[in-house]
Amino acid sequence: MNKDSIPSIAPLFRFQWEEAQQCYVVLYPEGMVKLSPSAGEIMKLVNAADSVNTIIQTLSDLFDGADVGDDVVAFFTEAESNGWIQLK
Amino acid sequence: MAGSNLNNTHNPPLWLLAELTYSCPLQCPYCSNPMDIASYKDELSTDDWLRVLREARKMGATQLGFSGGEPLVRKDLENLIKESRDLGYYTNLITSGVGMDGERIAAFKEAGLDHIQVSFQASDEELNNFIAGTDSFQHKLEMARQVKIQGYPMVLCFVLHRQNTDQIKDIIELAIALEADYLELATTQYYGWAKHNQEQLLPTKEQIIAAEKVAHEYQEKMKGKMRIFYVVPDYFEDRPKPCMNGWGNIFLTITPDGTALPCHSARIIPGLELPNVNDHSIDWIWNDSPDFKKFRGYEWMKEPCRSCDEKEKDFGGCRCQALMLTGDASNTDPVCSKSPNHGKLVEDIRRIEANAKQNIIEKPLVFRNMRASKKLITSTGS
């Protein structure tokens, strides 16, 4: 994955907090996936403006300099193959 | 979260199907609406629907399908979409496209509609219009293009049956020509009108094998460009479908008159109380009504389901199918080869197939419309 690429939520998919489920979800036609808390934190930063690198840096700052790079790349790889996000 | 949920182990209703009206400009003989649609003249008001939408959303419903009949018939659809989107639903419009134009699609977009699925009846004009019972093919093509122009991914649905299954290649080619993003090749499910017309709709085994092969070839070929969903009709399987993902588990249907059902076909099951949203809250209907508890979980099951190690996978199949094919909704769905009634289903299918091959038509195809519905109500005395 090119870490300079910019992830955005794919058309047809929506990411939101679900109060009743107490988790972040990805919604798409006639379906829903519940996200783990860490996946939710990553998806929250997808804004079609920040690059993968920027998101890694932001999360790292948020979690006291933790090395989150591999986790973020692994998540985006999976999210892209599921069609949730596009990388440009 | 509603207090009563805390003591229960079941899910909230995640999927709300809003059948806004039984009115429809099309007359598809495979329609899953009940055959006595002419008996239900009352429709919920806009305010009633808004209350239903708010209550279900509060309980945790996320997916909302606007269906019918033809939901476009409702003049308040734009308003319902807007309110639903504001509530946080993922909104799906399931439509024939008849009653829509570019302007209305733009209004849906503005209101926040997430997804439009346009259905076709066939890949050519003649068969499409025959099955739909109306000259709708050219308009559907135009609507499919408009959906895409207005920035929606194009989701096309073709309902397959004996009369159009052999067209599968042309159907997929049409979807490719229209630059569809998703193609749903939906097999007819035998409920309502489709059950009545089953003798003429059920494809033969040969048709299914051939169609499956073509579908799989294109799935491979179109990988990354168009997603193709194809499901073999459950009558030809030896394990039942996990119908509705279990009764009263995630799925809630509200019919045009406000009756709450665990599936769109459940009205046929005798002994249900058929709670109405005019009399009860969604919370009570989902958590406390006898109907939604009736086949929830595994306690109601008889053998062979009760001791079956696959019951958590398929929930014993479909209650309506069990009723229609065995006379008892709490029996195992006879699609399952473990069902003592499976042999009878296989025999039925063979008889229909044999008739199909010899072009024997025992009953005329009945198109879904109010006139036919009234006639059927009179003739059955129901």
Side-chain angles (χ1 to χ4, degrees), chain B residues 71-98:
Chain B
L72 295 171
V73 171
R74 288 281 297 219
K75 299 280 180 264
D76 56 357
L77 184 57
E78 285 82 345
N79 187 11
L80 294 175
I81 289 169
K82 179 167 190 320
E83 295 286 338
S84 307
R85 186 62 176 75
D86 290 348
L87 286 167
Y89 280 105
Y90 191 92
T91 50
N92 306 275
L93 175 60
I94 301 152
T95 178
S96 69
V98 178

PDB file of all heavy atoms in Angstrom, chain B residues 71-98:
ATOM      1  N   PRO B  71     -43.368   1.534  -4.018  1.00  0.00           N
ATOM      2  CA  PRO B  71     -43.295   2.638  -3.053  1.00  0.00           C
ATOM      3  C   PRO B  71     -43.393   4.015  -3.694  1.00  0.00           C
ATOM      4  O   PRO B  71     -43.774   4.985  -3.026  1.00  0.00           O
ATOM      5  CB  PRO B  71     -41.934   2.428  -2.374  1.00  0.00           C
ATOM      6  CG  PRO B  71     -41.172   1.507  -3.262  1.00  0.00           C
ATOM      7  CD  PRO B  71     -42.178   0.678  -3.982  1.00  0.00           C
ATOM      8  N   LEU B  72     -43.048   4.106  -4.989  1.00  0.00           N
ATOM      9  CA  LEU B  72     -43.111   5.414  -5.657  1.00  0.00           C
ATOM     10  C   LEU B  72     -44.532   5.959  -5.732  1.00  0.00           C
ATOM     11  O   LEU B  72     -44.733   7.150  -5.940  1.00  0.00           O
ATOM     12  CB  LEU B  72     -42.555   5.309  -7.088  1.00  0.00           C
ATOM     13  CG  LEU B  72     -41.073   4.974  -7.239  1.00  0.00           C
ATOM     14  CD1 LEU B  72     -40.758   4.691  -8.688  1.00  0.00           C
ATOM     15  CD2 LEU B  72     -40.204   6.096  -6.701  1.00  0.00           C
ATOM     16  N   VAL B  73     -45.506   5.073  -5.542  1.00  0.00           N
ATOM     17  CA  VAL B  73     -46.908   5.517  -5.581  1.00  0.00           C
ATOM     18  C   VAL B  73     -47.179   6.504  -4.439  1.00  0.00           C
ATOM     19  O   VAL B  73     -48.001   7.403  -4.571  1.00  0.00           O
ATOM     20  CB  VAL B  73     -47.862   4.295  -5.493  1.00  0.00           C
ATOM     21  CG1 VAL B  73     -49.304   4.725  -5.311  1.00  0.00           C
ATOM     22  CG2 VAL B  73     -47.719   3.420  -6.737  1.00  0.00           C
ATOM     23  N   ARG B  74     -46.459   6.337  -3.309  1.00  0.00           N
ATOM     24  CA  ARG B  74     -46.681   7.232  -2.169  1.00  0.00           C
ATOM     25  C   ARG B  74     -46.070   8.606  -2.460  1.00  0.00           C
ATOM     26  O   ARG B  74     -44.882   8.735  -2.698  1.00  0.00           O
ATOM     27  CB  ARG B  74     -46.022   6.644  -0.899  1.00  0.00           C
ATOM     28  CG  ARG B  74     -46.714   5.441  -0.334  1.00  0.00           C
ATOM     29  CD  ARG B  74     -47.954   5.766   0.496  1.00  0.00           C
ATOM     30  NE  ARG B  74     -47.687   6.552   1.685  1.00  0.00           N
ATOM     31  CZ  ARG B  74     -48.291   6.369   2.859  1.00  0.00           C
ATOM     32  NH1 ARG B  74     -49.172   5.372   3.021  1.00  0.00           N
ATOM     33  NH2 ARG B  74     -48.038   7.164   3.876  1.00  0.00           N
ATOM     34  N   LYS B  75     -46.920   9.604  -2.368  1.00  0.00           N
ATOM     35  CA  LYS B  75     -46.481  10.980  -2.663  1.00  0.00           C
ATOM     36  C   LYS B  75     -45.567  11.512  -1.549  1.00  0.00           C
ATOM     37  O   LYS B  75     -44.856  12.490  -1.745  1.00  0.00           O
ATOM     38  CB  LYS B  75     -47.702  11.904  -2.811  1.00  0.00           C
ATOM     39  CG  LYS B  75     -48.632  11.504  -3.944  1.00  0.00           C
ATOM     40  CD  LYS B  75     -48.088  11.981  -5.298  1.00  0.00           C
ATOM     41  CE  LYS B  75     -48.984  11.590  -6.459  1.00  0.00           C
ATOM     42  NZ  LYS B  75     -48.543  10.345  -7.125  1.00  0.00           N
ATOM     43  N   ASP B  76     -45.646  10.873  -0.359  1.00  0.00           N
ATOM     44  CA  ASP B  76     -44.829  11.367   0.760  1.00  0.00           C
ATOM     45  C   ASP B  76     -43.478  10.663   0.856  1.00  0.00           C
ATOM     46  O   ASP B  76     -42.775  10.791   1.848  1.00  0.00           O
ATOM     47  CB  ASP B  76     -45.593  11.217   2.082  1.00  0.00           C
ATOM     48  CG  ASP B  76     -46.050   9.777   2.337  1.00  0.00           C
ATOM     49  OD1 ASP B  76     -45.826   8.911   1.465  1.00  0.00           O
ATOM     50  OD2 ASP B  76     -46.634   9.526   3.407  1.00  0.00           O
ATOM     51  N   LEU B  77     -43.121   9.917  -0.209  1.00  0.00           N
ATOM     52  CA  LEU B  77     -41.875   9.144  -0.150  1.00  0.00           C
ATOM     53  C   LEU B  77     -40.650  10.024   0.113  1.00  0.00           C
ATOM     54  O   LEU B  77     -39.794   9.676   0.935  1.00  0.00           O
ATOM     55  CB  LEU B  77     -41.702   8.340  -1.453  1.00  0.00           C
ATOM     56  CG  LEU B  77     -40.506   7.395  -1.521  1.00  0.00           C
ATOM     57  CD1 LEU B  77     -40.516   6.389  -0.379  1.00  0.00           C
ATOM     58  CD2 LEU B  77     -40.473   6.652  -2.852  1.00  0.00           C
ATOM     59  N   GLU B  78     -40.574  11.169  -0.568  1.00  0.00           N
ATOM     60  CA  GLU B  78     -39.428  12.069  -0.373  1.00  0.00           C
ATOM     61  C   GLU B  78     -39.312  12.467   1.098  1.00  0.00           C
ATOM     62  O   GLU B  78     -38.229  12.480   1.670  1.00  0.00           O
ATOM     63  CB  GLU B  78     -39.580  13.334  -1.238  1.00  0.00           C
ATOM     64  CG  GLU B  78     -39.310  13.127  -2.725  1.00  0.00           C
ATOM     65  CD  GLU B  78     -40.500  12.548  -3.505  1.00  0.00           C
ATOM     66  OE1 GLU B  78     -41.455  12.028  -2.872  1.00  0.00           O
ATOM     67  OE2 GLU B  78     -40.479  12.619  -4.746  1.00  0.00           O
ATOM     68  N   ASN B  79     -40.465  12.792   1.689  1.00  0.00           N
ATOM     69  CA  ASN B  79     -40.504  13.200   3.087  1.00  0.00           C
ATOM     70  C   ASN B  79     -40.060  12.060   4.011  1.00  0.00           C
ATOM     71  O   ASN B  79     -39.269  12.248   4.941  1.00  0.00           O
ATOM     72  CB  ASN B  79     -41.946  13.650   3.407  1.00  0.00           C
ATOM     73  CG  ASN B  79     -42.066  14.264   4.780  1.00  0.00           C
ATOM     74  OD1 ASN B  79     -41.054  14.536   5.427  1.00  0.00           O
ATOM     75  ND2 ASN B  79     -43.289  14.477   5.229  1.00  0.00           N
ATOM     76  N   LEU B  80     -40.587  10.851   3.741  1.00  0.00           N
ATOM     77  CA  LEU B  80     -40.219   9.692   4.568  1.00  0.00           C
ATOM     78  C   LEU B  80     -38.725   9.400   4.461  1.00  0.00           C
ATOM     79  O   LEU B  80     -38.071   9.061   5.448  1.00  0.00           O
ATOM     80  CB  LEU B  80     -41.037   8.461   4.139  1.00  0.00           C
ATOM     81  CG  LEU B  80     -42.547   8.540   4.392  1.00  0.00           C
ATOM     82  CD1 LEU B  80     -43.256   7.317   3.823  1.00  0.00           C
ATOM     83  CD2 LEU B  80     -42.844   8.670   5.886  1.00  0.00           C
ATOM     84  N   ILE B  81     -38.174   9.554   3.250  1.00  0.00           N
ATOM     85  CA  ILE B  81     -36.737   9.323   3.062  1.00  0.00           C
ATOM     86  C   ILE B  81     -35.937  10.334   3.884  1.00  0.00           C
ATOM     87  O   ILE B  81     -35.003   9.976   4.591  1.00  0.00           O
ATOM     88  CB  ILE B  81     -36.353   9.431   1.563  1.00  0.00           C
ATOM     89  CG1 ILE B  81     -36.901   8.237   0.771  1.00  0.00           C
ATOM     90  CG2 ILE B  81     -34.830   9.524   1.399  1.00  0.00           C
ATOM     91  CD1 ILE B  81     -36.798   8.384  -0.735  1.00  0.00           C
ATOM     92  N   LYS B  82     -36.337  11.589   3.791  1.00  0.00           N
ATOM     93  CA  LYS B  82     -35.588  12.635   4.480  1.00  0.00           C
ATOM     94  C   LYS B  82     -35.572  12.391   5.997  1.00  0.00           C
ATOM     95  O   LYS B  82     -34.527  12.425   6.641  1.00  0.00           O
ATOM     96  CB  LYS B  82     -36.180  14.015   4.186  1.00  0.00           C
ATOM     97  CG  LYS B  82     -35.423  15.095   4.922  1.00  0.00           C
ATOM     98  CD  LYS B  82     -35.714  16.487   4.490  1.00  0.00           C
ATOM     99  CE  LYS B  82     -34.726  17.456   5.117  1.00  0.00           C
ATOM    100  NZ  LYS B  82     -34.382  17.172   6.508  1.00  0.00           N
ATOM    101  N   GLU B  83     -36.754  12.117   6.546  1.00  0.00           N
ATOM    102  CA  GLU B  83     -36.850  11.874   7.991  1.00  0.00           C
ATOM    103  C   GLU B  83     -36.025  10.649   8.389  1.00  0.00           C
ATOM    104  O   GLU B  83     -35.364  10.638   9.420  1.00  0.00           O
ATOM    105  CB  GLU B  83     -38.316  11.674   8.392  1.00  0.00           C
ATOM    106  CG  GLU B  83     -39.189  12.908   8.187  1.00  0.00           C
ATOM    107  CD  GLU B  83     -38.945  13.997   9.228  1.00  0.00           C
ATOM    108  OE1 GLU B  83     -38.435  13.674  10.316  1.00  0.00           O
ATOM    109  OE2 GLU B  83     -39.256  15.173   8.933  1.00  0.00           O
ATOM    110  N   SER B  84     -36.082   9.600   7.564  1.00  0.00           N
ATOM    111  CA  SER B  84     -35.353   8.363   7.878  1.00  0.00           C
ATOM    112  C   SER B  84     -33.858   8.591   7.886  1.00  0.00           C
ATOM    113  O   SER B  84     -33.138   8.096   8.749  1.00  0.00           O
ATOM    114  CB  SER B  84     -35.663   7.288   6.834  1.00  0.00           C
ATOM    115  OG  SER B  84     -37.036   7.119   6.698  1.00  0.00           O
ATOM    116  N   ARG B  85     -33.417   9.354   6.882  1.00  0.00           N
ATOM    117  CA  ARG B  85     -31.983   9.640   6.775  1.00  0.00           C
ATOM    118  C   ARG B  85     -31.537  10.469   7.985  1.00  0.00           C
ATOM    119  O   ARG B  85     -30.486  10.205   8.559  1.00  0.00           O
ATOM    120  CB  ARG B  85     -31.733  10.379   5.459  1.00  0.00           C
ATOM    121  CG  ARG B  85     -30.303  10.610   5.142  1.00  0.00           C
ATOM    122  CD  ARG B  85     -29.570   9.274   4.978  1.00  0.00           C
ATOM    123  NE  ARG B  85     -28.182   9.522   4.574  1.00  0.00           N
ATOM    124  CZ  ARG B  85     -27.239   9.962   5.381  1.00  0.00           C
ATOM    125  NH1 ARG B  85     -27.527  10.194   6.653  1.00  0.00           N
ATOM    126  NH2 ARG B  85     -26.018  10.171   4.939  1.00  0.00           N
ATOM    127  N   ASP B  86     -32.367  11.431   8.370  1.00  0.00           N
ATOM    128  CA  ASP B  86     -32.043  12.254   9.536  1.00  0.00           C
ATOM    129  C   ASP B  86     -31.982  11.413  10.812  1.00  0.00           C
ATOM    130  O   ASP B  86     -31.221  11.707  11.726  1.00  0.00           O
ATOM    131  CB  ASP B  86     -33.067  13.387   9.714  1.00  0.00           C
ATOM    132  CG  ASP B  86     -32.935  14.452   8.630  1.00  0.00           C
ATOM    133  OD1 ASP B  86     -31.917  14.412   7.896  1.00  0.00           O
ATOM    134  OD2 ASP B  86     -33.835  15.306   8.507  1.00  0.00           O
ATOM    135  N   LEU B  87     -32.807  10.373  10.862  1.00  0.00           N
ATOM    136  CA  LEU B  87     -32.802   9.486  12.030  1.00  0.00           C
ATOM    137  C   LEU B  87     -31.562   8.588  12.049  1.00  0.00           C
ATOM    138  O   LEU B  87     -31.261   7.964  13.060  1.00  0.00           O
ATOM    139  CB  LEU B  87     -34.056   8.608  12.038  1.00  0.00           C
ATOM    140  CG  LEU B  87     -35.383   9.288  12.412  1.00  0.00           C
ATOM    141  CD1 LEU B  87     -36.554   8.376  12.073  1.00  0.00           C
ATOM    142  CD2 LEU B  87     -35.410   9.630  13.897  1.00  0.00           C
ATOM    143  N   GLY B  88     -30.879   8.481  10.904  1.00  0.00           N
ATOM    144  CA  GLY B  88     -29.663   7.667  10.841  1.00  0.00           C
ATOM    145  C   GLY B  88     -29.832   6.317  10.183  1.00  0.00           C
ATOM    146  O   GLY B  88     -28.934   5.476  10.236  1.00  0.00           O
ATOM    147  N   TYR B  89     -30.965   6.084   9.552  1.00  0.00           N
ATOM    148  CA  TYR B  89     -31.151   4.831   8.821  1.00  0.00           C
ATOM    149  C   TYR B  89     -30.294   4.809   7.563  1.00  0.00           C
ATOM    150  O   TYR B  89     -30.038   5.858   6.957  1.00  0.00           O
ATOM    151  CB  TYR B  89     -32.595   4.688   8.330  1.00  0.00           C
ATOM    152  CG  TYR B  89     -33.584   4.212   9.347  1.00  0.00           C
ATOM    153  CD1 TYR B  89     -34.490   5.095   9.920  1.00  0.00           C
ATOM    154  CD2 TYR B  89     -33.642   2.873   9.703  1.00  0.00           C
ATOM    155  CE1 TYR B  89     -35.435   4.664  10.836  1.00  0.00           C
ATOM    156  CE2 TYR B  89     -34.590   2.427  10.616  1.00  0.00           C
ATOM    157  CZ  TYR B  89     -35.482   3.322  11.176  1.00  0.00           C
ATOM    158  OH  TYR B  89     -36.412   2.882  12.066  1.00  0.00           O
ATOM    159  N   TYR B  90     -29.928   3.606   7.152  1.00  0.00           N
ATOM    160  CA  TYR B  90     -29.423   3.399   5.794  1.00  0.00           C
ATOM    161  C   TYR B  90     -30.651   3.090   4.947  1.00  0.00           C
ATOM    162  O   TYR B  90     -31.339   2.098   5.176  1.00  0.00           O
ATOM    163  CB  TYR B  90     -28.435   2.228   5.750  1.00  0.00           C
ATOM    164  CG  TYR B  90     -27.705   2.156   4.426  1.00  0.00           C
ATOM    165  CD1 TYR B  90     -26.483   2.810   4.254  1.00  0.00           C
ATOM    166  CD2 TYR B  90     -28.232   1.462   3.351  1.00  0.00           C
ATOM    167  CE1 TYR B  90     -25.811   2.769   3.047  1.00  0.00           C
ATOM    168  CE2 TYR B  90     -27.568   1.419   2.140  1.00  0.00           C
ATOM    169  CZ  TYR B  90     -26.356   2.073   1.989  1.00  0.00           C
ATOM    170  OH  TYR B  90     -25.699   2.031   0.793  1.00  0.00           O
ATOM    171  N   THR B  91     -30.950   3.975   3.997  1.00  0.00           N
ATOM    172  CA  THR B  91     -32.244   3.892   3.318  1.00  0.00           C
ATOM    173  C   THR B  91     -32.128   3.243   1.940  1.00  0.00           C
ATOM    174  O   THR B  91     -31.347   3.677   1.097  1.00  0.00           O
ATOM    175  CB  THR B  91     -32.846   5.304   3.162  1.00  0.00           C
ATOM    176  OG1 THR B  91     -31.850   6.168   2.601  1.00  0.00           O
ATOM    177  CG2 THR B  91     -33.282   5.865   4.507  1.00  0.00           C
ATOM    178  N   ASN B  92     -32.902   2.193   1.738  1.00  0.00           N
ATOM    179  CA  ASN B  92     -32.918   1.446   0.482  1.00  0.00           C
ATOM    180  C   ASN B  92     -34.280   1.617  -0.190  1.00  0.00           C
ATOM    181  O   ASN B  92     -35.312   1.423   0.455  1.00  0.00           O
ATOM    182  CB  ASN B  92     -32.723  -0.060   0.749  1.00  0.00           C
ATOM    183  CG  ASN B  92     -31.473  -0.364   1.559  1.00  0.00           C
ATOM    184  OD1 ASN B  92     -30.386  -0.490   1.027  1.00  0.00           O
ATOM    185  ND2 ASN B  92     -31.624  -0.484   2.884  1.00  0.00           N
ATOM    186  N   LEU B  93     -34.272   1.980  -1.453  1.00  0.00           N
ATOM    187  CA  LEU B  93     -35.528   2.067  -2.206  1.00  0.00           C
ATOM    188  C   LEU B  93     -35.574   0.901  -3.188  1.00  0.00           C
ATOM    189  O   LEU B  93     -34.704   0.761  -4.041  1.00  0.00           O
ATOM    190  CB  LEU B  93     -35.612   3.399  -2.960  1.00  0.00           C
ATOM    191  CG  LEU B  93     -36.823   3.581  -3.886  1.00  0.00           C
ATOM    192  CD1 LEU B  93     -38.137   3.489  -3.121  1.00  0.00           C
ATOM    193  CD2 LEU B  93     -36.736   4.920  -4.630  1.00  0.00           C
ATOM    194  N   ILE B  94     -36.583   0.065  -3.019  1.00  0.00           N
ATOM    195  CA  ILE B  94     -36.703  -1.141  -3.840  1.00  0.00           C
ATOM    196  C   ILE B  94     -37.866  -0.899  -4.802  1.00  0.00           C
ATOM    197  O   ILE B  94     -39.022  -0.875  -4.385  1.00  0.00           O
ATOM    198  CB  ILE B  94     -36.931  -2.364  -2.932  1.00  0.00           C
ATOM    199  CG1 ILE B  94     -35.744  -2.500  -1.968  1.00  0.00           C
ATOM    200  CG2 ILE B  94     -37.107  -3.638  -3.753  1.00  0.00           C
ATOM    201  CD1 ILE B  94     -36.067  -3.157  -0.657  1.00  0.00           C
ATOM    202  N   THR B  95     -37.544  -0.681  -6.073  1.00  0.00           N
ATOM    203  CA  THR B  95     -38.545  -0.131  -6.983  1.00  0.00           C
ATOM    204  C   THR B  95     -38.500  -0.748  -8.375  1.00  0.00           C
ATOM    205  O   THR B  95     -37.467  -1.284  -8.793  1.00  0.00           O
ATOM    206  CB  THR B  95     -38.346   1.405  -7.102  1.00  0.00           C
ATOM    207  OG1 THR B  95     -39.286   1.928  -8.022  1.00  0.00           O
ATOM    208  CG2 THR B  95     -36.946   1.744  -7.589  1.00  0.00           C
ATOM    209  N   SER B  96     -39.617  -0.629  -9.083  1.00  0.00           N
ATOM    210  CA  SER B  96     -39.673  -1.021 -10.493  1.00  0.00           C
ATOM    211  C   SER B  96     -39.202   0.126 -11.384  1.00  0.00           C
ATOM    212  O   SER B  96     -38.991  -0.052 -12.572  1.00  0.00           O
ATOM    213  CB  SER B  96     -41.119  -1.368 -10.865  1.00  0.00           C
ATOM    214  OG  SER B  96     -41.910  -0.187 -10.861  1.00  0.00           O
ATOM    215  N   GLY B  97     -39.085   1.312 -10.813  1.00  0.00           N
ATOM    216  CA  GLY B  97     -38.710   2.490 -11.589  1.00  0.00           C
ATOM    217  C   GLY B  97     -39.902   3.176 -12.241  1.00  0.00           C
ATOM    218  O   GLY B  97     -39.772   4.282 -12.761  1.00  0.00           O
ATOM    219  N   VAL B  98     -41.058   2.523 -12.208  1.00  0.00           N
ATOM    220  CA  VAL B  98     -42.253   3.116 -12.828  1.00  0.00           C
ATOM    221  C   VAL B  98     -42.880   4.095 -11.830  1.00  0.00           C
ATOM    222  O   VAL B  98     -43.280   3.691 -10.736  1.00  0.00           O
ATOM    223  CB  VAL B  98     -43.266   2.025 -13.244  1.00  0.00           C
ATOM    224  CG1 VAL B  98     -44.527   2.650 -13.842  1.00  0.00           C
ATOM    225  CG2 VAL B  98     -42.623   1.069 -14.237  1.00  0.00           C
TER     226      VAL B  98
END
